[in-house]
Amino acid sequence: GRPQRAIVELEQLLDVFEGRGRATVKALLGRAQWLKGDKLEAKERFNEAVADDPMHFEHHGARGEFRYAMAEDDKSALIDLDFAIREGPRDHPHASTWLETRALLLRRMGNDAEASRDASLLVKQEPDRLSARMLLAMLLERAGDTVEALNQYDTVIEKLDAPEREQGRPDISALVQHAGEDARARKLLRTEVHLKRAVLHTRASRYDKAIGDYNEVLKGEGANNANAWLWRGVAYHSHGYHKSAHLDYSRCLDLEAHNYAARCNRAVVSTSLGNFAAAVQDLEMIPKEEREVAAWLALATNLRAIHRPAQAEAAL
């Protein structure tokens, strides 16, 4: 928590140690300077540590983490992380971090298959490491495995809702940036999981389950989440609950007047409810350059319904 003090003390140690010990001090200095925000200094120290002791897996792991975070040289970051994971013991304090960082890096590089392999291994080794479980769920979702992705999201919620167990609290350390953020990180993670799970339920036409997830998101501060109102409206709409959908689209528009998806959807619901004039009003509020073909067709249909045939024809 006090990187500047650590930097001063570590710099003093540079004159004390030689060889491998000096390289370790340089690696620790790199971490402290990275934490402080001195990225160029950190980069130099990590490179020096690896140059001074090239076979030490910890230095490669630290530099791999740094290179991943900087997003400047993914291939070199992967080489460092591969070396650290291959040469380091599985029970090393940073082994899980290196494995998760490699999974994130592989996903960023477009190698979802190997990223899933790493995430699956990490979840197997550490079932309570929720950041890894979230990563695995997202990779499964991207691969089209909706059932297994939902299973992973379900497990995250179960572990968040039952934090006090004999083996301790679920690990969300990768989601916490500063001391004291644990409770907020849990709340944000729970919201994110409910949103992702709701989307998958909607895709699978499980609208009642999707609505349940959106209900959780919209509690408390979540009531200001315009997208949650929009997508719960979509779930209600798809389920045939047009009045509830209309209310949710309206709440979304109260928060984001220029949310044209919500405005178009509300127009469609208004049409279903027989309120053609309201539908026209919504559709005409969408700028012409933002209207998709479906919006133009809906506008023409509703204009005819309120006996404005010339304007309906022009809309087509």
Side-chain angles (χ1 to χ4, degrees), residues 249 253 259-269 282-283 286 294-295 298:
Y249 294 144
L253 289 166
N259 191 312
Y260 300 129
R263 196 164 292 284
C264 186
N265 287 358
R266 188 171 72 172
V268 173
V269 170
D282 268 335
L283 292 165
I286 301 173

Side-chain angles (χ1 to χ4, degrees), residues 23-86:
T24 298
V25 173
K26 287 181 177 180
L28 291 171
L29 257 175
R31 283 194 178 275
Q33 287 164 335
W34 179 15
L35 185 60
K36 184 186 174 185
D38 293 338
K39 297 174 184 177
L40 290 177
E41 289 289 330
K43 180 178 181 179
E44 184 176 345
R45 291 303 190 186
F46 284 131
N47 287 338
E48 288 176 355
V50 173
D52 290 351
D53 191 2
M55 298 308 294
H56 199 305
F57 65 88
E58 285 186 344
H59 305 338
H60 284 280
R63 189 172 68 174
E65 290 180 59
F66 176 76
R67 283 173 162 171
Y68 166 75
M70 295 302 102
E72 294 176 350
D73 188 351
D74 284 353
K75 289 184 179 179
S76 295
L78 184 58
I79 291 171
D80 275 331
L81 291 165
D82 282 345
F83 185 91
I85 293 166
R86 183 176 64 252

Side-chain angles (χ1 to χ4, degrees), residues 72-290:
E72 294 176 350
D73 188 351
D74 284 353
K75 289 184 179 179
S76 295
L78 184 58
I79 291 171
D80 275 331
L81 291 165
D82 282 345
F83 185 91
I85 293 166
R86 183 176 64 252
E87 300 298 329
R90 281 192 177 184
D91 60 352
H92 187 277
H94 293 296
S96 296
T97 298
W98 296 332
L99 189 59
E100 186 169 357
T101 303
R102 187 173 71 177
L104 290 164
L105 177 61
L106 287 165
R107 182 182 67 163
R108 188 164 74 194
M109 296 174 73
N111 193 338
D112 283 7
E114 290 193 25
S116 293
R117 178 203 63 196
D118 279 353
S120 296
L121 177 59
L122 189 50
V123 166
K124 185 177 181 179
Q125 292 174 354
E126 298 187 27
D128 287 342
R129 194 178 182 94
L130 300 190
S131 57
R133 198 175 287 278
M134 282 291 292
L135 174 59
L136 178 58
M138 287 185 278
L139 287 164
L140 289 165
E141 179 181 344
R142 199 149 78 175
D145 192 344
T146 300
V147 173
E148 188 53 37
L150 281 170
N151 286 339
Q152 295 298 332
Y153 288 135
D154 289 346
T155 302
V156 173
I157 291 292
E158 289 169 8
K159 289 182 178 293
L160 284 171
D161 287 344
E164 300 295 345
R165 302 186 310 285
E166 290 183 7
Q167 62 266 46
R169 297 169 69 84
D171 181 6
I172 59 166
S173 56
L175 303 165
V176 179
Q177 299 297 316
H178 304 288
E181 287 190 354
D182 183 83
R184 178 165 177 76
R186 289 173 188 280
K187 186 175 182 179
L188 291 173
L189 178 58
R190 183 179 280 105
T191 296
E192 182 182 0
V193 177
H194 280 299
L195 281 170
K196 289 182 176 298
R197 197 168 65 172
V199 170
L200 289 180
H201 283 314
T202 300
R203 283 183 195 163
S205 301
R206 301 168 183 158
Y207 303 118
D208 54 337
K209 291 184 179 293
I211 290 166
D213 275 322
Y214 287 124
N215 288 344
E216 292 296 321
V217 173
L218 291 166
K219 291 178 179 178
E221 295 178 8
N224 293 319
N225 189 324
N227 275 332
W229 288 110
L230 167 63
W231 288 105
R232 192 179 74 169
V234 170
Y236 275 132
H237 194 170
S238 301
H239 216 19
Y241 299 139
H242 293 148
K243 291 183 179 179
S244 293
H246 193 281
L247 287 172
D248 279 2
Y249 294 144
S250 296
R251 290 295 299 272
C252 175
L253 289 166
D254 288 341
L255 295 167
E256 291 183 2
H258 298 297
N259 191 312
Y260 300 129
R263 196 164 292 284
C264 186
N265 287 358
R266 188 171 72 172
V268 173
V269 170
S270 293
T271 303
S272 299
L273 294 171
N275 196 342
F276 308 116
V280 168
Q281 185 177 14
D282 268 335
L283 292 165
E284 288 183 333
M285 289 182 70
I286 301 173
K288 291 181 179 179
E289 62 273 14
E290 297 288 342

